[in-house]
Amino acid sequence: MTESAPTAPAPAEGERHASWLELFFDLTAVAGVAQLAHLLHGSPGWDDVALYAVMFLAFWTGWMLFTVYGNVSGDEVRTWTVLTGMFGMAVMAAAVHGVREDRAGAFALAYILVRSLAGKAWERRGEYVPELPITQLGLGLTPWVVSMWFDGTERYALWALGLAIDLTVMFSVSGTRLAARVDARYAREAGPGRRAAAKPAAALMDAPHLGERLGLFQLIVLGEAVAQVVAAASRVEWDAALYSVGVGSFLLLLLLWSLSLRHGADGVPLLAWDVLPVRLVLPLHCFVAGAVAALAAGLGDAVEHTHHPVPEPVRWLLCGSLAVYLAVAGVAALSSGRGVGGTLLLVGPSLAAVLLTAAAARQAEAAHLVWLLVAAAAWTRLVTERLRPGRRERPARPAP
């Protein structure tokens, strides 16, 4: 019988934990995730899903920049810098509801200010983060500035372009390449007859603290899913069908919690500690969080359709979001040394079942659909227990 235990080691003595300021800042994540999930309520089309993906990535980027700033700064963090960033994030969250009407400009402007404020925070510290190249390479912000002179689809396309540039930078620019860029720029500024500022220093991140912060964000997203199910259940008739959907939804979220936080790292399911650089872990974390937030909206809609067949857009939203979650889990498992065969065994049957359900389960009742998703997630969870490798100790990097 295999032993059931979380893969994350217990916190070491003296290890940092999230401060009251950081937890207060995370309230904007609670509000933002809730607002973003509402973009997918009803019968979302592909344009709705695309807009949700762009806005979620933008909101998560703002949260991540200030999270890393607090991680590196520690006790030296500037409280008013974080609170100002928090206000900008709150404006972004408030603008989500009317983004298709007259608040898209407010969302874009708040994002620009949040990004700019985060950049200034690093300038004041005289540091850059090798594992977070967008702190030094801000080209992705340019399309957002240009978007202020456009409306509608053109504006959203410019937002997507800016975020695509940021993702490309995150995946392609290593810490070594970023350090070389910083050195080259400093050499140009410190040429003959010039008075250059002090050379930026490479900042080190506190790995256990960052892992905790990323895990807390995933808890926030899972909490939003619980809230969606509870709110929807309060508006429909309580009977055996609702009990079945409610229990199934709870078990599905329990399985995702287990895969992400007990059998994963940094909130990413099936990821082992310290196998990927932070610049790759962060996008994976974003994709997982966005998928679970979309699943939250789908579960709320499924509960509301307890006594009717689930509409096709809701079915695709539920299955598609879980498919994204499982695909990221597969990438994490493969990078964690489970091998191609082990990874396919872990997520292959689950992913195939979810996609088949999306394509073939037309006119499915909510209870049947939710329990099919539970079965898919349960397979990955069960195989994870059977194939769980030895626990990998999490390295503690010293704070600067």
Side-chain angles (χ1 to χ4, degrees), residues 222 253-264 325 381 385:
L222 288 167
L253 296 176
L254 174 61
L255 289 166
L256 300 187
W257 165 80
S258 179
L259 289 169
S260 295
L261 300 174
R262 287 179 59 85
H263 296 278
Y325 180 94
R381 172 65 177 77
E385 271 297 315

Side-chain angles (χ1 to χ4, degrees), residues 112-321:
I112 292 167
L113 294 177
V114 166
R115 283 287 303 267
S116 301
L117 180 63
K120 290 294 182 183
W122 291 112
E123 287 183 13
R124 283 194 297 267
R125 286 188 61 82
E127 293 178 324
Y128 69 95
V129 186
E131 289 291 352
L132 195 62
I134 61 174
T135 60
Q136 283 288 318
L137 307 176
L139 182 60
L141 195 58
T142 302
W144 283 82
V145 176
V146 175
S147 76
M148 298 299 294
W149 285 270
F150 290 85
D151 292 310
T153 304
E154 292 82 3
R155 170 176 276 168
Y156 305 146
L158 286 166
W159 292 359
L161 174 61
L163 294 167
I165 292 172
D166 283 340
L167 282 176
T168 300
V169 168
M170 290 287 287
F171 280 114
S172 62
V173 179
S174 65
T176 302
R177 289 183 60 189
L178 181 60
R181 286 173 179 260
V182 171
D183 290 342
R185 188 173 69 179
Y186 177 77
R188 289 194 302 269
E189 294 176 352
R194 297 181 182 179
R195 184 177 180 181
K199 181 180 177 180
L204 295 177
M205 284 190 281
D206 186 324
H209 176 263
L210 182 63
E212 179 186 77
R213 301 285 287 120
L214 296 174
L216 287 172
F217 191 92
Q218 293 294 4
L219 281 178
I220 288 171
V221 177
L222 288 167
E224 174 58 24
V226 172
Q228 294 276 352
V229 172
V230 170
S234 69
R235 298 190 293 266
V236 299
E237 179 185 354
W238 285 31
D239 56 14
L242 176 64
Y243 301 152
S244 178
V245 175
V247 171
S249 298
F250 178 78
L251 286 177
L252 178 59
L253 296 176
L254 174 61
L255 289 166
L256 300 187
W257 165 80
S258 179
L259 289 169
S260 295
L261 300 174
R262 287 179 59 85
H263 296 278
D266 299 323
V268 179
L270 307 187
L271 181 68
W273 292 108
D274 200 35
V275 297
L276 289 176
V278 174
R279 64 186 176 85
L280 300 184
V281 170
L282 290 176
L284 294 180
H285 177 273
C286 178
F287 299 157
V288 168
V292 175
L295 183 70
L299 287 175
D301 287 337
V303 172
E304 291 182 356
H305 289 88
T306 294
H307 304 99
H308 310 281
V310 176
E312 183 177 359
V314 176
R315 184 181 79 245
W316 275 101
L317 177 63
L318 282 167
C319 296
S321 55

